[in-house]
Structure formats: structure tokens, C-alpha cells
Amino acid sequence: MADTVKPLSVIIIGCGRVAVKHLKAISKLKGLRLAAVVDTNSDSAKRLLASVKGFANTPVYSDYHEAIDTVKPDITSVTVPSGLHYQIASYAMEHGSNLLLEKPMTMSASEAKDIYNLARKTNCKIAMGHIYRYFPIVGLIRDDIAKGVYGKVTHGNINVRWGHDEAYYGSAAWRGTWKSDGGALMNQTIHAIDLLVWLMGSEPVSAEAMISQRLRNIEAEDLGMAILRLENGALASIEGTTATFPSKHMADFTVFCEKGMITMGIDSNKPHIKIFSLDENGKTHKLNGKYIRRQLKEGGLFSYKCALNPHMGIYNDLYNSIVNNTQPIADAYAGYSSVDTMMGIYKSAKENCQVSLPLTEDFSTVDMTGYFQS
Ligand SMILES: NC(=O)c1ccc[n+]([C@@H]2O[C@H](COP(=O)([O-])OP(=O)(O)OC[C@H]3O[C@@H](n4cnc5c(N)ncnc54)[C@H](O)[C@@H]3O)[C@@H](O)[C@H]2O)c1
């Protein structure tokens, strides 16, 4: 990030759990200046500003319209409950602001398409809060798969076992509701679905899924499983749940290719990685060290610091994309496409059938209302 250019102004709208990661990231990057925070609850705003040194005097607003109209921020960070993303993201772009938009982009396929189209029309950049794309090594793997280094991609999977208990769901009324959040797939797994599809380098053409409520007392699913068929014929399987132990968070992906097998993930905060290639004599080679060194050479220590707070990588990427007029790594298309795929997954569960993607008719999480009551 260049420090010779005037810093870009940022406002954060929504001062809850994830906003702390945003503020920490902003505090570490010289090219960004926090211009204001917004929350309908002034105590949340104060708590956020007190969580990182040096921000106590930041202006606080309770109305996002007023904040955007007054500050005219270069970047609006949207960290409110998911059901509010659409209205705030639209308003910010209509007023010329770039976005760091938390996942999921919106709660319906049509809204996601609107946001994607608005970004193209206004040339506002959107960096999605798809943190997994910003982990070290992931981008190198993606480039190598795309270049054909590992041959044909056969299949892949993700497991997101992100245990959340009743205390988490009870911490805010919107959590686990169809209207404002969705369940374990929509909230905790959507960015992993985005990652897997991105790594496998082909668009989903159909989805088949089942969802269930096992342990958590919420409206939406606490467990979901799905299979996607990609345009290139590869299959992707998805497991996403919050019905596991909150003290044992784990998330991982594996991509299987003709000449390579790549697994990465985190288990109770510890990263793990296994990258193997297969040579023409049928011998396997472990490539972990090679990738770790290459990432250090190409991304420097900064890329490893992003493993601790991937939002730092997202802000850095957004800054560069605004200054250089390029697209962020997790761009508006990633936000739209992942919501479209997720809506296909829910539609498949609801209608008990395979669903073609991209959707030709709108579907939203609200269409799932009453699913577990019927
Ligand atoms: N990328 C990630 O790793 C990640 C992690 C956690 C959450 N998220 C996403 O971030 C979003 C927020 O999640 P959270 O856990 O921080 O929620 P939260 O409930 O902890 O915080 C949301 C905040 O928004 C405020 N708010 C509500 N309505 C508002 C409005 N109209 N104007 C201004 N502020 C308003 C609330 O008062 C609250 O302080 C969700 O979309 C979630 O999916 C992303």
C-alpha cells in the first residue's frame, strides 16, 4: 500500500462483532483513514472505537444516510446484519462510494445481481468479506490450477464445522433467522463455497442439497450438505454446520486433480496444509515448503500477517483496486455468484430436486420461511 497518496476515507456501518476485525485492519494500513462509524446503537459504536487505541474521537452517526451524505467516504464498509446489506450497499454506491461488503452479499439472487450490475454501472469497487480468498498460498494454488499445473480438476470438497451455541444465536435477534441471516450454509459456509468454486476454476451449473436442524434452536438450518456440478464436469461437495463444539472450529478444503491433491484448512486456530503433485513416473512429491517459500517471496511477510486478520488483506486489495482501477480478488461477481449458488442450494433443499444454475427465477432466504415447520 503506497503511503505517498492521500489516504482513502472509510466509514464502518455496523459496529458489532466483525467490525472489530475491520477496525484493526484499518488501523494497520497507512493508506486508509477512518472517517466515521455508524450504528443505531450508540453503545456499540463506543465499544468498537474503544477496542482499538487511537480512535476515541472518531465521529459517530446513527443514520447511515446522513453519514454517507456528510462524509462522502471513498470506502463504505457494510458490517450490519446480512438482511440490511442490499439497501446500504445500494445507497453507498449510488452516492459514489466503493464498498467493503460483508458476506453474504444479499439475501436473494435478484438483489445480488442488482448489486453486481450497480457496481459495473457506477464503476464502484466491491471487495467482498470472503476472507478465505485472502489466506496465504490460496491464490498461488488457484493460479497453478488455472494454468493447468495439476492437470484436469476432478472434484473438490469443503467442510465448515463452525460450532456456535445458543449463546451465539441469542446474542442478536437476527441470527439464524431466514429473513436476516439464513443458517450455517448461508452465514458460516458461503465464503468457503465461493473459495472452492474459485479454486476449481469453473462455474456451478447445478446444485442438489439437503438441510437439517440438529442441535440449535434457530429458524434456519444448523447443518447442510450439498453437491454442485461445475461447468467443466467436476463435482464439488459441501458440508456446513454450526452444530459442532464452539471450542473446536474447523474449516478446510481439498481439491483433487489429475496430477495433484491440495488440502488446506484450520483446526482450532491451527493452520494445516498438504500439497502433493504426481510426476510422470507415478511418484508423489510434497510441495508444502515450496509454496510457503514462494508466498514469502511474492507476498512478503504481509501475506502471512493476513492469516491472522484476513480483513487486512481485503482492505489492502480494495485500496489497490481503487488506486489502480482494477478488480479486487473477491469482487462483486464473487459476491453475486456465491449468493446465486446458495439460493440454488436452498431451492434444491426446499423442492427436493436438482436445481440448474445460475437461477433463471429469483429465490431468497425468505422463500425458506416455515421450512422446518412443514
Ligand atoms: N467475513 C467474515 O469473516 C465475517 C465474520 C462475522 C460476520 N460477518 C458478517 O458481518 C455482518 C455482521 O455480523 P456481526 O456478527 O458483526 O453482527 P453483529 O450483530 O455483532 O453487529 C451488527 C451491528 O450492526 C448494527 N446495526 C443494525 N442495524 C443497523 C443500521 N440500520 N444501521 C447501522 N447499524 C446497524 C447493530 O446495532 C450491531 O452493532 C453479517 O453480515 C455477517 O454475516 C462476516
Side-chain angles (χ1 to χ4, degrees), residues 13-19 21 38-41 44 62 64 78-82 84-85 88 102-104 129-131 168 172 174-175 181 187 191 311:
I13 304 180
C15 301
R17 275 169 85 112
V18 80
K21 291 182 184 159
V38 186
D39 205 295
T40 42
N41 179 339
S44 302
S62 58
Y64 72 82
V78 182
T79 53
V80 287
S82 309
L84 297 170
H85 290 184
I88 298 180
E102 270 304 345
K103 46 72 354 209
H130 288 186
I131 52 173
Y168 165 83
W174 66 278
R175 297 195 196 283
D181 190 11
N187 183 324
H191 36 343
H311 282 88

Side-chain angles (χ1 to χ4, degrees), residues 130-142:
H130 288 186
I131 52 173
Y132 296 127
R133 287 199 188 196
Y134 292 87
F135 275 93
I137 299 174
V138 163
L140 301 178
I141 300 286
R142 201 256 175 183

Side-chain angles (χ1 to χ4, degrees), residues 18 24 36 39 45 74 100-101 146 198 220 237 265 280 305 310 341 348:
V18 80
K24 283 185 179 157
D39 205 295
D74 297 307
L100 199 163
L101 178 52
W198 183 63
S237 80
E280 55 276 14
K305 284 188 188 154
T341 300
S348 164

Side-chain angles (χ1 to χ4, degrees), residues 1 8 32 74-77 98-101 124-127 134 312-324 326 328-329:
M1 190 175 273
L8 300 182
L32 301 177
D74 297 307
I75 297 171
T76 299
S77 298
N98 302 287
L99 296 178
L100 199 163
L101 178 52
C124 289
K125 310 296 179 196
I126 301 183
Y134 292 87
M312 215 159 83
I314 307 181
Y315 275 105
N316 186 53
D317 183 31
L318 180 56
Y319 173 91
N320 288 329
S321 76
I322 293 169
V323 170
N324 303 319
T326 54
I329 293 167

